[in-house]
Amino acid sequence: MLSIAAATTEDIPFIIRGIVASDTVPHGDGSTVYERVYGFTRAELEGFLEFALKANLPGNQLTLSEFVVLKEEGAPIGCCVGWIEGVTATPSGKAIAMLVSRFLGHRRVIDRTPQVRGLISCHPGRTAGALQLESFFVHPSARRQGHTYRLINHCLDNKSDGVGWSEIVLLSDNRPARKAYERAGFTLVPGINPNCADFQNYTGSDGFCRLRRSIPNHLSINQARTI
Amino acid sequence: MTPEQILDSLQPIFRRLFEQPNLQVTRDSSALNVLGWDSLMHITLIGEVEEQFNVRFGLGELEELTCVGDMVDLIARKPRS
């Protein structure tokens, strides 16, 4: 039997696996954007993600209470995170920078200034007040069964909190993921042309794209969906 | 230190980090009205302020810090470590 529920601390190891998988640079050596930008070792990254998830600062992509976990017979098989990007609260990018700084020490972050600047200048930004979705992960043994759509629909139904738009920011060269989101009704936001030369140089990735879809508020997404 | 003294002590830190010799921050100064105050500059600023004032901010405190006035009040409340 399948169930989707808010994450708890016992889900942290699975969520860390999901974040690492979804943050991995496509067509690379298996390293993640976090590692390439901030200079984390893999062990440091896993320690950082546990630190950030347990800190549970509100409204960002590493907020444990914003994650949902899909389980089959009680065992986790998928996860994602969904949060409303801050209007008056701390923007998620700033929250992540503060978490990294607390974990690594600000001197080490400053030593990575060129890489962090490359990330900032390449990121397309997030719309304040929109539902942000990220870190989709389905265990390899459970793929091709529509679980990503289950996670998307669960978030649109349960986490939208009346907002009109949902967004997904992802690496633009992650084409399989982008196709899956487009099948779920997300479309590319045009006209965003960030400077990604430095980001490409440091990470090997083409950069980011931003997808979005409207969230009908007059009927449930489960009723409205066409996928 | 009084809040006014703390604000005065912050001025040279802001001018050096933002490379604006004539920058004059007030309690209302924030990322919304100071050019170049992005997420990287924010953590650089926090680190410099912590070293200069010999204090350490908690994550929850950093989360609530949105303008220079918040920073001044937070420093004023902190025992020196």
Side-chain angles (χ1 to χ4, degrees):
Chain A
M1 194 180 102
L2 292 173
S3 64
I4 302 181
T8 66
T9 51
E10 69 180 29
D11 298 314
I12 286 177
F14 183 82
I15 290 171
I16 289 174
R17 182 177 175 185
I19 295 169
V20 169
S22 63
D23 195 56
T24 297
V25 178
H27 320 301
D29 60 0
S31 60
T32 61
V33 172
Y34 278 115
E35 290 164 306
R36 293 191 183 188
V37 170
Y38 291 107
F40 285 113
T41 64
R42 179 55 55 94
E44 282 177 332
L45 174 60
E46 290 173 353
F48 164 69
L49 293 174
E50 182 175 355
F51 163 77
L53 290 163
K54 286 181 174 172
N56 203 36
L57 292 185
N60 66 76
Q61 56 270 53
L62 298 180
T63 305
L64 178 63
S65 57
E66 302 284 24
F67 271 85
V68 295
V69 179
L70 172 66
K71 294 185 178 180
E72 187 169 29
E73 309 301 341
I77 58 169
C79 66
C80 72
V81 62
W83 77 99
I84 309 294
E85 180 69 9
V87 178
T88 56
T90 304
S92 56
K94 193 163 138 191
I96 298 301
M98 290 192 305
L99 286 162
V100 173
S101 172
R102 289 291 97 157
F103 186 79
L104 288 179
H106 83 282
R107 290 283 172 206
R108 214 173 129 186
V109 178
I110 292 168
D111 286 345
R112 304 291 290 187
T113 292
Q115 290 86 348
V116 178
R117 284 254 171 267
L119 172 66
I120 291 171
S121 61
C122 182
H123 199 281
R126 303 181 190 279
T127 304
L131 173 65
Q132 305 292 322
L133 301 179
E134 196 167 303
S135 295
F136 285 92
F137 173 69
V138 175
H139 190 279
S141 66
R143 288 179 184 162
R144 306 186 74 82
Q145 297 173 48
H147 293 325
T148 296
Y149 302 126
R150 287 188 177 89
L151 288 163
I152 290 173
N153 285 320
H154 178 87
C155 289
L156 295 179
D157 276 348
N158 295 283
K159 298 178 81 65
S160 61
D161 201 22
V163 301
W165 291 95
S166 178
E167 293 181 344
I168 300 176
V169 174
L170 76 159
L171 293 172
S172 53
D173 34 11
N174 189 352
R175 287 177 178 75
R178 183 171 158 182
K179 275 179 71 174
Y181 303 142
E182 286 173 342
R183 283 199 298 270
F186 285 84
T187 57
L188 183 69
V189 179
I192 298 176
N193 297 300
N195 174 10
C196 291
D198 287 342
F199 185 77
Q200 285 173 332
N201 187 31
Y202 293 121
T203 68
S205 172
D206 290 346
F208 298 92
C209 62
R210 189 165 81 190
L211 309 178
R212 74 174 178 181
R213 63 162 287 175
S214 62
I215 305 174
N217 56 13
H218 57 285
L219 74 173
S220 105
I221 296 300
N222 275 331
Q223 291 171 291
R225 71 183 179 201
T226 55
I227 56 172
Chain B
M1 291 176 87
T2 67
E4 291 75 22
Q5 290 170 325
I6 293 170
L7 183 59
D8 285 345
S9 300
L10 287 173
Q11 301 291 354
I13 299 174
F14 273 83
R15 287 174 190 150
R16 176 168 50 83
L17 291 180
F18 288 84
E19 297 178 344
Q20 296 178 43
N22 298 319
L23 179 63
Q24 187 73 29
V25 291
T26 68
R27 289 186 59 89
D28 292 331
S29 298
S30 72
L32 298 175
N33 52 34
V34 176
L35 193 65
W37 192 335
D38 61 15
S39 55
L40 181 61
M41 182 56 82
H42 187 73
I43 57 175
T44 304
L45 183 60
I46 296 299
E48 291 284 331
V49 168
E50 285 183 332
E51 286 184 2
Q52 184 86 17
F53 288 87
N54 201 22
V55 294
R56 174 84 171 166
F57 302 132
L59 270 174
E61 292 170 328
L62 291 176
E63 181 74 7
E64 293 169 3
L65 199 160
T66 59
C67 64
V68 170
D70 292 342
M71 189 179 287
V72 168
D73 295 340
L74 195 52
I75 294 168
R77 288 202 305 269
K78 280 276 173 189
R80 302 294 181 265
S81 56

